[in-house]
Amino acid sequence: MSVWALGLNHTTAPLDLRGRFAFALDQIAPTLHSLRSSFEGAGRGRHPQVEAAIISTCNRTEIYCAADHMALDHTVGWLAQSGGVSPALLRSHAYTLHDDEAARHAFRVASGLDSMVLGEAQILGQMKDAIRAAETAGALGSTLNQLFQRSFAVAKEVRTATEVGAHSISMAAASVRLAAQLFEDLQQTRVLFVGAGEMIDLAATHFAARQPKSIVIANRTLERGEKLASRFGGEAMRLAELPARLAEFDIVVSCTSSTLPLIGLGAVERALKQRKHRPMFMVDLAVPRDIEPEVKKLEDVYLYTVDDLAQVVQQGQASRQAAVAQAEVIIDAGVQSFMHWLDQRGSVPLIQQLNAQADDWRAAELARARKMLAKGEDIDTVLQALSRGLTQKMLHGAMAELHAGDAAAREQTAQTLSRLFLRKER
């Protein structure tokens, strides 16, 4: 089996390009079906059972595949087409990995070593969600299942045995830090959160700790928004109310799975006019964007995207480099263990055939022994015949090979048979 990975992340591709390849969790199953079907549709009859998984977050989109033959070029072509770009453009911003490199990358991602926030734990939960989605879609086979279960185990060991995750600054914490630089007293601010997912939950928790004047959750489903708002003593509103009420808020944090921006330039301009140009702090944590990029050019708006937060979350990472070195040792051991397992998988069909052949021989000799016993043969005679018959069947092929071929072939066969049958028990 071969394992390969194709991905683009916050270090290789700009935000708008990543947005073209962002898949919401409920899109994973049909997308995997499309990917796996494409291997057959491309005339690749030898790839009917390609295993596949897709991990898509605000910082990365990665495809992992496993099959008896590697098909990286086809995977690149399929992803490029799905995002409406040329394969050449995708390749210029993507990375392709195979076998041990792919395993190492998966282990590093799960452990938080490849994240914008070094050691952050959220990616592990996102990976587990993605793998459950792939399993539910029937796209996960034994090879990828083994890869990701091992990645989760390695991540757990890294977090337990090292200080990689200590003092890490999350996106939510970074947002609060930046907002505090703009507003002298966060207790005097009104905060709007757009969306009600995990990232908004985290951001609202951080901002609520600063006790702002009010917290409002805007969500497409009012019930879900109300449930989250109730935890922070806040209010919920429908997304449809957003344009009319935008001017009320000093801070806006948005993270939804919308494929189109929810907050446009015109809406923000009108809000600023109503606010008499009092500043607005806006954070767009969504990929694709929730807030039109042109908003950033407005004089009284301070708009930050996930990529803009990079410098903030990078602070303090130098002190954790020793922990990273420890983590890499754990990951190296995990990669070696996985590759050993993968190599052994190549012998499975042969082992199955050998076991089946041995069972056939055993059944044949047992049947013959039972017939001899039924005829009244002496039990010692039957046992001798049984053991002799099994031995002859097991050695017949080896003896035939030993007497066939030229001298060099016979010498090689002799050495192999010596290793198999004449080695001393340890």
Short mmCIF file of all heavy atoms in Angstrom, two decimals, residues 297-347:
data_model
loop_
_atom_site.label_atom_id
_atom_site.label_comp_id
_atom_site.label_asym_id
_atom_site.label_seq_id
_atom_site.Cartn_x
_atom_site.Cartn_y
_atom_site.Cartn_z
N LYS A 297 -9.82 48.62 4.23
CA LYS A 297 -9.32 49.91 3.76
C LYS A 297 -10.02 51.09 4.44
O LYS A 297 -9.56 52.23 4.32
CB LYS A 297 -9.50 50.00 2.25
CG LYS A 297 -8.70 48.95 1.48
CD LYS A 297 -8.97 49.04 -0.01
CE LYS A 297 -8.22 47.95 -0.78
NZ LYS A 297 -8.53 47.98 -2.22
N LEU A 298 -11.13 50.84 5.12
CA LEU A 298 -11.85 51.92 5.79
C LEU A 298 -11.03 52.46 6.97
O LEU A 298 -10.46 51.69 7.76
CB LEU A 298 -13.21 51.43 6.27
CG LEU A 298 -14.19 51.00 5.16
CD1 LEU A 298 -15.46 50.43 5.77
CD2 LEU A 298 -14.51 52.16 4.23
N GLU A 299 -11.02 53.79 7.08
CA GLU A 299 -10.12 54.45 8.03
C GLU A 299 -10.42 54.11 9.49
O GLU A 299 -9.52 54.00 10.31
CB GLU A 299 -10.21 55.97 7.84
CG GLU A 299 -9.19 56.74 8.65
CD GLU A 299 -9.20 58.22 8.32
OE1 GLU A 299 -9.74 58.59 7.26
OE2 GLU A 299 -8.67 59.01 9.13
N ASP A 300 -11.69 53.92 9.83
CA ASP A 300 -12.06 53.72 11.24
C ASP A 300 -12.35 52.26 11.57
O ASP A 300 -12.98 51.97 12.60
CB ASP A 300 -13.28 54.58 11.56
CG ASP A 300 -12.98 56.06 11.38
OD1 ASP A 300 -12.03 56.55 12.02
OD2 ASP A 300 -13.67 56.70 10.56
N VAL A 301 -11.92 51.35 10.70
CA VAL A 301 -12.11 49.92 10.94
C VAL A 301 -10.76 49.23 11.10
O VAL A 301 -9.84 49.48 10.31
CB VAL A 301 -12.91 49.26 9.79
CG1 VAL A 301 -12.95 47.75 9.99
CG2 VAL A 301 -14.32 49.82 9.73
N TYR A 302 -10.66 48.39 12.11
CA TYR A 302 -9.46 47.59 12.34
C TYR A 302 -9.85 46.14 12.13
O TYR A 302 -10.40 45.49 13.03
CB TYR A 302 -8.92 47.84 13.75
CG TYR A 302 -8.51 49.28 13.97
CD1 TYR A 302 -9.47 50.24 14.30
CD2 TYR A 302 -7.19 49.68 13.81
CE1 TYR A 302 -9.10 51.57 14.48
CE2 TYR A 302 -6.81 51.01 13.99
CZ TYR A 302 -7.77 51.95 14.32
OH TYR A 302 -7.42 53.26 14.49
N LEU A 303 -9.61 45.65 10.91
CA LEU A 303 -10.03 44.30 10.53
C LEU A 303 -8.85 43.35 10.52
O LEU A 303 -7.82 43.63 9.90
CB LEU A 303 -10.69 44.32 9.14
CG LEU A 303 -11.01 42.96 8.51
CD1 LEU A 303 -11.99 42.17 9.38
CD2 LEU A 303 -11.56 43.15 7.09
N TYR A 304 -9.01 42.23 11.20
CA TYR A 304 -7.97 41.20 11.26
C TYR A 304 -8.55 39.88 10.75
O TYR A 304 -9.66 39.49 11.12
CB TYR A 304 -7.47 41.01 12.69
CG TYR A 304 -6.73 42.21 13.25
CD1 TYR A 304 -7.45 43.23 13.87
CD2 TYR A 304 -5.35 42.32 13.15
CE1 TYR A 304 -6.79 44.35 14.39
CE2 TYR A 304 -4.69 43.43 13.66
CZ TYR A 304 -5.41 44.43 14.28
OH TYR A 304 -4.75 45.54 14.78
N THR A 305 -7.78 39.19 9.91
CA THR A 305 -8.15 37.85 9.45
C THR A 305 -7.30 36.83 10.22
O THR A 305 -6.43 37.20 11.01
CB THR A 305 -7.89 37.68 7.95
OG1 THR A 305 -6.46 37.76 7.72
CG2 THR A 305 -8.59 38.77 7.14
N VAL A 306 -7.54 35.56 9.95
CA VAL A 306 -6.75 34.51 10.62
C VAL A 306 -5.27 34.68 10.32
O VAL A 306 -4.41 34.44 11.18
CB VAL A 306 -7.22 33.10 10.21
CG1 VAL A 306 -8.52 32.75 10.86
CG2 VAL A 306 -7.31 32.96 8.71
N ASP A 307 -4.94 35.10 9.10
CA ASP A 307 -3.53 35.29 8.74
C ASP A 307 -2.93 36.51 9.44
O ASP A 307 -1.74 36.52 9.78
CB ASP A 307 -3.39 35.42 7.23
CG ASP A 307 -3.64 34.10 6.52
OD1 ASP A 307 -3.87 33.09 7.21
OD2 ASP A 307 -3.61 34.07 5.27
N ASP A 308 -3.74 37.55 9.64
CA ASP A 308 -3.25 38.75 10.33
C ASP A 308 -2.88 38.46 11.77
O ASP A 308 -2.05 39.16 12.37
CB ASP A 308 -4.30 39.86 10.28
CG ASP A 308 -4.57 40.36 8.88
OD1 ASP A 308 -3.63 40.37 8.07
OD2 ASP A 308 -5.73 40.72 8.59
N LEU A 309 -3.50 37.44 12.35
CA LEU A 309 -3.23 37.11 13.75
C LEU A 309 -1.93 36.34 13.94
O LEU A 309 -1.51 36.08 15.07
CB LEU A 309 -4.40 36.29 14.33
CG LEU A 309 -5.75 37.00 14.44
CD1 LEU A 309 -6.82 36.02 14.86
CD2 LEU A 309 -5.67 38.16 15.40
N ALA A 310 -1.29 35.98 12.84
CA ALA A 310 -0.10 35.12 12.90
C ALA A 310 0.99 35.70 13.80
O ALA A 310 1.56 35.00 14.64
CB ALA A 310 0.45 34.88 11.50
N GLN A 311 1.31 36.98 13.64
CA GLN A 311 2.40 37.58 14.42
C GLN A 311 2.09 37.57 15.91
O GLN A 311 2.99 37.37 16.74
CB GLN A 311 2.66 39.01 13.94
CG GLN A 311 3.26 39.07 12.54
CD GLN A 311 3.60 40.49 12.14
OE1 GLN A 311 3.18 41.44 12.78
NE2 GLN A 311 4.38 40.62 11.07
N VAL A 312 0.83 37.76 16.26
CA VAL A 312 0.46 37.78 17.67
C VAL A 312 0.66 36.40 18.29
O VAL A 312 1.24 36.27 19.37
CB VAL A 312 -1.01 38.22 17.85
CG1 VAL A 312 -1.41 38.21 19.32
CG2 VAL A 312 -1.21 39.60 17.25
N VAL A 313 0.18 35.38 17.59
CA VAL A 313 0.25 34.03 18.17
C VAL A 313 1.65 33.45 18.11
O VAL A 313 1.95 32.48 18.82
CB VAL A 313 -0.75 33.07 17.48
CG1 VAL A 313 -2.17 33.56 17.66
CG2 VAL A 313 -0.42 32.87 16.02
N GLN A 314 2.52 34.03 17.28
CA GLN A 314 3.89 33.52 17.21
C GLN A 314 4.72 33.95 18.41
O GLN A 314 5.75 33.37 18.70
CB GLN A 314 4.58 34.04 15.93
CG GLN A 314 4.00 33.50 14.64
CD GLN A 314 4.19 32.02 14.46
OE1 GLN A 314 5.10 31.44 15.04
NE2 GLN A 314 3.35 31.38 13.68
N GLN A 315 4.29 34.99 19.12
CA GLN A 315 5.06 35.50 20.25
C GLN A 315 5.22 34.43 21.32
O GLN A 315 4.29 33.74 21.67
CB GLN A 315 4.38 36.74 20.84
CG GLN A 315 4.39 37.92 19.90
CD GLN A 315 3.58 39.09 20.45
OE1 GLN A 315 3.11 39.04 21.58
NE2 GLN A 315 3.43 40.12 19.65
N GLY A 316 6.40 34.33 21.85
CA GLY A 316 6.65 33.39 22.93
C GLY A 316 6.96 31.98 22.48
O GLY A 316 7.16 31.10 23.31
N GLN A 317 7.04 31.77 21.17
CA GLN A 317 7.29 30.40 20.70
C GLN A 317 8.75 29.98 20.86
O GLN A 317 9.04 28.80 20.97
CB GLN A 317 6.87 30.26 19.24
CG GLN A 317 5.36 30.30 19.06
CD GLN A 317 4.94 29.80 17.70
OE1 GLN A 317 5.75 29.33 16.92
NE2 GLN A 317 3.66 29.92 17.40
N ALA A 318 9.66 30.94 20.88
CA ALA A 318 11.08 30.59 20.97
C ALA A 318 11.37 29.79 22.23
O ALA A 318 12.18 28.85 22.22
CB ALA A 318 11.92 31.86 20.96
N SER A 319 10.67 30.10 23.32
CA SER A 319 10.90 29.42 24.59
C SER A 319 10.44 27.97 24.56
O SER A 319 10.76 27.19 25.45
CB SER A 319 10.20 30.16 25.73
OG SER A 319 8.80 30.16 25.51
N ARG A 320 9.67 27.62 23.52
CA ARG A 320 9.15 26.25 23.46
C ARG A 320 9.89 25.37 22.45
O ARG A 320 9.46 24.25 22.18
CB ARG A 320 7.65 26.29 23.13
CG ARG A 320 6.82 26.94 24.22
CD ARG A 320 5.36 26.62 24.08
NE ARG A 320 4.77 27.19 22.88
CZ ARG A 320 4.33 28.45 22.80
NH1 ARG A 320 4.43 29.25 23.83
NH2 ARG A 320 3.79 28.90 21.69
N GLN A 321 10.98 25.88 21.90
CA GLN A 321 11.69 25.10 20.89
C GLN A 321 12.29 23.81 21.46
O GLN A 321 12.38 22.80 20.76
CB GLN A 321 12.79 25.95 20.23
CG GLN A 321 12.25 27.04 19.33
CD GLN A 321 11.21 26.52 18.34
OE1 GLN A 321 11.47 25.59 17.59
NE2 GLN A 321 10.02 27.12 18.35
N ALA A 322 12.72 23.86 22.72
CA ALA A 322 13.25 22.63 23.34
C ALA A 322 12.16 21.57 23.43
O ALA A 322 12.40 20.38 23.19
CB ALA A 322 13.80 22.95 24.73
N ALA A 323 10.94 22.01 23.76
CA ALA A 323 9.81 21.08 23.83
C ALA A 323 9.49 20.52 22.45
O ALA A 323 9.13 19.34 22.31
CB ALA A 323 8.60 21.78 24.42
N VAL A 324 9.63 21.35 21.43
CA VAL A 324 9.40 20.89 20.06
C VAL A 324 10.38 19.78 19.70
O VAL A 324 10.02 18.77 19.08
CB VAL A 324 9.51 22.06 19.06
CG1 VAL A 324 9.50 21.53 17.62
CG2 VAL A 324 8.37 23.04 19.25
N ALA A 325 11.64 19.94 20.08
CA ALA A 325 12.65 18.92 19.80
C ALA A 325 12.28 17.60 20.46
O ALA A 325 12.43 16.51 19.87
CB ALA A 325 14.02 19.39 20.29
N GLN A 326 11.77 17.67 21.69
CA GLN A 326 11.31 16.45 22.37
C GLN A 326 10.14 15.82 21.62
O GLN A 326 10.08 14.59 21.46
CB GLN A 326 10.86 16.78 23.80
CG GLN A 326 11.97 17.15 24.75
CD GLN A 326 11.40 17.48 26.12
OE1 GLN A 326 10.57 18.38 26.26
NE2 GLN A 326 11.82 16.75 27.13
N ALA A 327 9.24 16.66 21.16
CA ALA A 327 8.07 16.16 20.44
C ALA A 327 8.48 15.47 19.15
O ALA A 327 7.90 14.44 18.77
CB ALA A 327 7.11 17.31 20.14
N GLU A 328 9.47 16.02 18.45
CA GLU A 328 9.92 15.44 17.19
C GLU A 328 10.49 14.03 17.39
O GLU A 328 10.33 13.16 16.53
CB GLU A 328 10.98 16.32 16.52
CG GLU A 328 10.49 17.71 16.10
CD GLU A 328 9.59 17.69 14.87
OE1 GLU A 328 9.18 16.60 14.42
OE2 GLU A 328 9.30 18.79 14.36
N VAL A 329 11.12 13.80 18.54
CA VAL A 329 11.64 12.45 18.85
C VAL A 329 10.49 11.46 18.98
O VAL A 329 10.53 10.34 18.46
CB VAL A 329 12.48 12.48 20.15
CG1 VAL A 329 12.84 11.06 20.58
CG2 VAL A 329 13.73 13.31 19.95
N ILE A 330 9.43 11.89 19.67
CA ILE A 330 8.24 11.04 19.84
C ILE A 330 7.61 10.76 18.48
O ILE A 330 7.21 9.63 18.17
CB ILE A 330 7.22 11.73 20.77
CG1 ILE A 330 7.81 11.85 22.18
CG2 ILE A 330 5.90 10.96 20.80
CD1 ILE A 330 6.98 12.70 23.12
N ILE A 331 7.54 11.79 17.63
CA ILE A 331 6.95 11.65 16.31
C ILE A 331 7.80 10.72 15.43
O ILE A 331 7.25 9.87 14.71
CB ILE A 331 6.79 13.03 15.65
CG1 ILE A 331 5.66 13.79 16.35
CG2 ILE A 331 6.51 12.92 14.15
CD1 ILE A 331 5.57 15.25 15.99
N ASP A 332 9.12 10.84 15.51
CA ASP A 332 10.01 9.95 14.74
C ASP A 332 9.72 8.48 15.07
O ASP A 332 9.64 7.63 14.17
CB ASP A 332 11.48 10.26 15.05
CG ASP A 332 11.98 11.50 14.33
OD1 ASP A 332 11.31 11.93 13.37
OD2 ASP A 332 13.03 12.04 14.73
N ALA A 333 9.58 8.21 16.35
CA ALA A 333 9.30 6.82 16.77
C ALA A 333 7.94 6.37 16.23
O ALA A 333 7.79 5.22 15.78
CB ALA A 333 9.33 6.74 18.30
N GLY A 334 6.97 7.26 16.24
CA GLY A 334 5.66 6.93 15.71
C GLY A 334 5.68 6.65 14.23
O GLY A 334 5.02 5.72 13.75
N VAL A 335 6.45 7.43 13.49
CA VAL A 335 6.57 7.23 12.04
C VAL A 335 7.22 5.88 11.74
O VAL A 335 6.75 5.13 10.88
CB VAL A 335 7.39 8.37 11.40
CG1 VAL A 335 7.71 8.05 9.94
CG2 VAL A 335 6.63 9.69 11.48
N GLN A 336 8.30 5.57 12.44
CA GLN A 336 8.98 4.29 12.22
C GLN A 336 8.04 3.11 12.51
O GLN A 336 8.02 2.13 11.77
CB GLN A 336 10.23 4.21 13.10
CG GLN A 336 11.34 5.16 12.68
CD GLN A 336 12.54 5.10 13.61
OE1 GLN A 336 12.68 4.16 14.39
NE2 GLN A 336 13.38 6.11 13.54
N SER A 337 7.27 3.23 13.57
CA SER A 337 6.33 2.16 13.93
C SER A 337 5.26 2.00 12.86
O SER A 337 4.92 0.87 12.48
CB SER A 337 5.68 2.49 15.28
OG SER A 337 4.71 1.53 15.62
N PHE A 338 4.73 3.11 12.35
CA PHE A 338 3.70 3.03 11.31
C PHE A 338 4.26 2.44 10.02
O PHE A 338 3.61 1.60 9.38
CB PHE A 338 3.12 4.42 11.02
CG PHE A 338 2.17 4.44 9.85
CD1 PHE A 338 0.92 3.85 9.95
CD2 PHE A 338 2.55 5.00 8.63
CE1 PHE A 338 0.04 3.84 8.86
CE2 PHE A 338 1.68 5.00 7.54
CZ PHE A 338 0.43 4.42 7.65
N MET A 339 5.46 2.86 9.62
CA MET A 339 6.04 2.35 8.38
C MET A 339 6.34 0.85 8.50
O MET A 339 6.21 0.11 7.52
CB MET A 339 7.31 3.13 8.03
CG MET A 339 7.06 4.58 7.63
SD MET A 339 5.83 4.77 6.30
CE MET A 339 6.67 3.90 4.96
N HIS A 340 6.74 0.42 9.70
CA HIS A 340 6.97 -1.02 9.91
C HIS A 340 5.66 -1.78 9.73
O HIS A 340 5.61 -2.83 9.08
CB HIS A 340 7.54 -1.25 11.32
CG HIS A 340 7.75 -2.69 11.65
ND1 HIS A 340 8.70 -3.48 11.02
CD2 HIS A 340 7.12 -3.51 12.55
CE1 HIS A 340 8.65 -4.71 11.52
NE2 HIS A 340 7.70 -4.76 12.43
N TRP A 341 4.58 -1.22 10.30
CA TRP A 341 3.26 -1.84 10.14
C TRP A 341 2.85 -1.86 8.67
O TRP A 341 2.34 -2.87 8.16
CB TRP A 341 2.23 -1.06 10.96
CG TRP A 341 0.83 -1.56 10.80
CD1 TRP A 341 0.22 -2.57 11.49
CD2 TRP A 341 -0.15 -1.09 9.86
NE1 TRP A 341 -1.06 -2.75 11.06
CE2 TRP A 341 -1.33 -1.86 10.05
CE3 TRP A 341 -0.14 -0.10 8.88
CZ2 TRP A 341 -2.48 -1.67 9.29
CZ3 TRP A 341 -1.29 0.11 8.13
CH2 TRP A 341 -2.43 -0.67 8.33
N LEU A 342 3.10 -0.75 7.97
CA LEU A 342 2.73 -0.66 6.56
C LEU A 342 3.51 -1.67 5.71
O LEU A 342 2.94 -2.32 4.81
CB LEU A 342 2.97 0.76 6.04
CG LEU A 342 2.34 1.15 4.71
CD1 LEU A 342 0.82 1.06 4.79
CD2 LEU A 342 2.76 2.56 4.30
N ASP A 343 4.80 -1.82 6.00
CA ASP A 343 5.62 -2.79 5.28
C ASP A 343 5.10 -4.22 5.50
O ASP A 343 5.07 -5.04 4.57
CB ASP A 343 7.09 -2.71 5.73
CG ASP A 343 7.78 -1.46 5.23
OD1 ASP A 343 7.26 -0.84 4.27
OD2 ASP A 343 8.81 -1.08 5.80
N GLN A 344 4.72 -4.50 6.74
CA GLN A 344 4.21 -5.83 7.04
C GLN A 344 2.91 -6.13 6.31
O GLN A 344 2.62 -7.28 5.98
CB GLN A 344 3.99 -5.98 8.54
CG GLN A 344 5.27 -6.13 9.35
CD GLN A 344 4.97 -6.39 10.81
OE1 GLN A 344 4.06 -5.81 11.39
NE2 GLN A 344 5.75 -7.28 11.41
N ARG A 345 2.12 -5.07 6.05
CA ARG A 345 0.85 -5.25 5.36
C ARG A 345 1.05 -5.88 3.98
O ARG A 345 0.18 -6.59 3.47
CB ARG A 345 0.13 -3.91 5.18
CG ARG A 345 -0.33 -3.28 6.47
CD ARG A 345 -1.52 -3.99 7.05
NE ARG A 345 -2.69 -3.86 6.20
CZ ARG A 345 -3.81 -4.55 6.34
NH1 ARG A 345 -3.89 -5.44 7.31
NH2 ARG A 345 -4.84 -4.35 5.55
N GLY A 346 2.23 -5.66 3.37
CA GLY A 346 2.50 -6.23 2.06
C GLY A 346 2.59 -7.75 2.08
O GLY A 346 2.40 -8.41 1.05
N SER A 347 2.87 -8.31 3.26
CA SER A 347 3.01 -9.77 3.38
C SER A 347 1.69 -10.45 3.72
O SER A 347 1.61 -11.68 3.71
CB SER A 347 4.03 -10.10 4.48
OG SER A 347 5.28 -9.50 4.21
#
